[in-house]
Amino acid sequence: MFNFPIGDLFDTLVRFLRDNLGPVFDGISWVLDTLISGFEFVIGVAPAIVTIVIFALLAWKAAGKGIGIFTLVGLVLIDAMGLWTNAVETLSLVLVSALIALVIGIPLGIVASRSHKADNLIRPVLDFMQTMPAFVYLIPAVFFFGLGKVPGAVATIIFSMPPVVRLTNLGIRQVPVNVEEAGRSFGSTPKQMLFKIQLPIALPTILAGVNQTIMLALSMVVISAMIGAQGLGSPVYSGIQNLRIGQGFEGGLAVVILAMILDRVTQALGDSSSK
Amino acid sequence: MAHVEIKNLYKIFGPNPKKALELTKEGMSKDEILEKTGNTIGVNNASLAVEKGETFVVMGLSGSGKSTLIRCLNRLIEPSFGEVFVDDEEITKVDQEKLREIRRKKMGMVFQNFGLFPHRTVCANVEYGLEVQGVTPEKRREKAYEALELVGLKGYEESKPDQLSGGMQQRVGLARALATDPEILLMDEAFSALDPLIRKDMQDELLLLQEKMQKTIIFITHDLDEALKIGDRIAVMKDGEVVQVGTPEGILTEPANDYVRDFVENVDRSKVIKAESIMRKADAVVDTKDGPKSAVRKMKNENISSIFVVDKSRKLKGIVDIEDAMKLADKGEKSIESAVHQGYPTAGPDELIIDLLPKATDSKYPIAVVDDENRFLGIIVRVAVISGIMGEGGNNDV
């Protein structure tokens, strides 16, 4: 048997990147930090109750009365547990990460749908991103970006991006052949095909991907807290460390409430687009 | 110059079209080539010329290459070898930009399962062709409304396609293809997904529309009855090859080979064969000036009991029975004019056998075939109608 030192190679690569691409990482870091702080400021600037009512109204408008009321009750409960600030941090981190995952993931999905070569190239990368244990890239993320919210966001982006890429790809590939032929037969340009036919028809599937991406982003909350991203993950993390089960449960419950609200609202958006 | 012309067109799917082409030219069969090279011959050396304003039907069973052929015309499928011309332009040579231009302006296509855009309203579907051309919203809305009215869908503009029945959806498909006012309509099994009654309606409607529009229509179907009904000319395809091109009657009466003969065997010929092809030239006629004696003699010679009377320019004047003529002859009358009467059935040369049947059974006289100016062309005896249906060809020898 011969020995192939993949681990050593990876170490070398990480060091090489850190030493040579410092400015790039600083740039990324700055962008993410600014975005997250911006979100935190916007969501957190008003008194909790005002923001909660606004969220409840938005949820009502998007997903109906029931979800609106659930949002109101759920967020008030989070505030009552004293976790509103943490929730704002988590929400900002999750939304920024998901947003970036979508901004990168949807175009990637489009590219994958248009060529088999690209598809074959992207697919294994997605497998990697989804199944490689998060802790494995958490450490390099800390290496590149230091402790705090930014490495948490990076890990979240990596972990949550695959579904929207896959489902965008799938949605476009599922456009019926004769519908696509009809589009081409009228002399559509590739751009017209994409924006007037393929994307609108694939939209419900793409939105299912958006929903999954947001859910996966939320599932990274506790892991992000381990590298100092704060938010709702910290009471859970410290609760576990100090065997304060009740405190951990409160944090976990708050995450679940956020997840349910985000899930129902994005699902409702998907449903209304397919009608 | 034909409007659409296909010259030696091949579409070969698979890894090595060149090799497959050589083997085809050596006369190897489709199956052998597939086994040997892994190439599938979609279209095999097809040549066709479609005239302006003609409804040209390409007919064949599934797998005969007809759908591939029609897609080669607007290059939804790229032909492997050969040429396609529209007007004088070689479609197979133009670049993407020019191809789009041709698709936008010259060709409209209607699809088997309609191919409507599910996310757009009926009106927005019909507008699509104009929209990609950059026509202003007001103008394209106006055109779309016109096209929808033409196909009888006024009032459904704001519906979504899935709210409509199959027949109505295909009307939308047709309106969408017509909205850009193309010279050429490509119809790929356009009515095949519809149930029989609706299909018949759509065929009738297409014929009616075509009378007004005079487009060049290339219509693909696997349904022989449909082909015979709609087509001015029909091309029969088998295994990617065009095995016969001809008029509906030509295909029925003179099938090029056993394949076509088997195909047309069970056709309802009464709906295709016209009076013209089963009528007999009536040599035995009498002139209005002829006397009763000569009329009687002619009838006796021909062994018939009545005879048609024409004037100098062969316009049909009436018919005379043998008994009446004999009575006049006995009385010593000079002219048969007083015995000439009407009361026999007539038909135009284009009338179908199915319409002749009741006329033939209701009257003891043969059917007189006359043209628009009442000129006498020939007669159809009852037995000719029957044998026409049975497929025994014209009856000039009966």
Side-chain angles (χ1 to χ4, degrees), chain B residues 150-343:
Chain B
L150 196 64
V151 299
L153 278 184
K154 203 175 174 185
Y156 290 94
E157 292 85 0
E158 297 312 315
S159 307
K160 280 287 181 74
D162 61 5
Q163 296 169 323
L164 305 183
S165 68
M168 287 158 91
Q169 289 189 33
Q170 194 54 303
R171 281 167 203 266
V172 178
L174 189 58
R176 185 176 62 178
L178 291 175
T180 54
D181 197 23
E183 298 160 22
I184 301 164
L185 267 186
L186 305 175
M187 304 186 71
D188 179 28
E189 300 255 14
F191 304 149
S192 300
L194 305 174
D195 59 51
L197 279 178
I198 309 284
R199 191 187 316 169
K200 193 182 158 292
D201 282 351
M202 290 297 285
Q203 290 164 351
D204 292 339
E205 202 148 332
L206 181 68
L207 288 171
L208 214 66
L209 279 173
Q210 171 64 349
E211 229 167 78
K212 283 186 251 170
M213 306 182 302
Q214 297 295 318
K215 305 266 183 210
T216 302
I217 300 181
I218 297 171
F219 192 104
I220 304 289
T221 182
H222 64 265
D223 178 355
L224 182 61
D225 287 321
E226 185 167 75
L228 295 169
K229 180 172 175 181
I230 289 179
D232 293 324
R233 283 194 303 150
I234 298 171
V236 182
M237 282 187 81
K238 179 186 183 254
D239 291 343
E241 284 177 85
V242 176
V243 291
Q244 185 172 8
V245 181
T247 61
E249 281 188 280
I251 300 266
L252 279 190
T253 52
E254 290 158 43
N257 58 23
D258 288 345
Y259 178 78
V260 181
R261 187 169 301 121
D262 287 348
F263 216 106
V264 300
E265 204 174 48
N266 295 320
V267 162
D268 185 353
R269 305 170 72 92
S270 69
K271 288 179 184 160
V272 181
I273 309 268
K274 294 170 179 167
E276 210 170 20
S277 21
I278 57 164
M279 77 181 183
R280 164 160 50 144
K281 283 242 162 55
D283 298 322
V285 289
V286 291
D287 195 280
T288 37
K289 295 272 160 47
D290 283 350
K293 276 188 181 158
S294 83
V296 171
R297 195 172 54 242
K298 275 188 181 168
M299 282 186 263
K300 284 192 167 157
N301 283 347
E302 297 285 328
N303 199 18
I304 48 179
S305 60
S306 57
I307 193 162
F308 284 103
V309 182
V310 296
D311 68 7
K312 272 210 191 72
S313 52
R314 268 192 95 77
K315 285 203 173 145
L316 185 61
K317 288 294 164 193
I319 195 166
V320 174
D321 293 317
I322 193 163
E323 299 89 17
D324 298 344
M326 278 160 79
K327 272 180 208 156
L328 287 181
D330 288 347
K331 280 190 212 160
E333 293 264 351
K334 288 259 166 54
S335 159
I336 52 164
E337 253 179 309
S338 60
V340 174
H341 66 95
Q342 311 294 318

Side-chain angles (χ1 to χ4, degrees), chain A residues 46-60:
Chain A
I49 190 63
V50 175
T51 312
I52 289 172
V53 169
I54 292 174
F55 278 175
L57 288 174
L58 287 175
W60 185 347

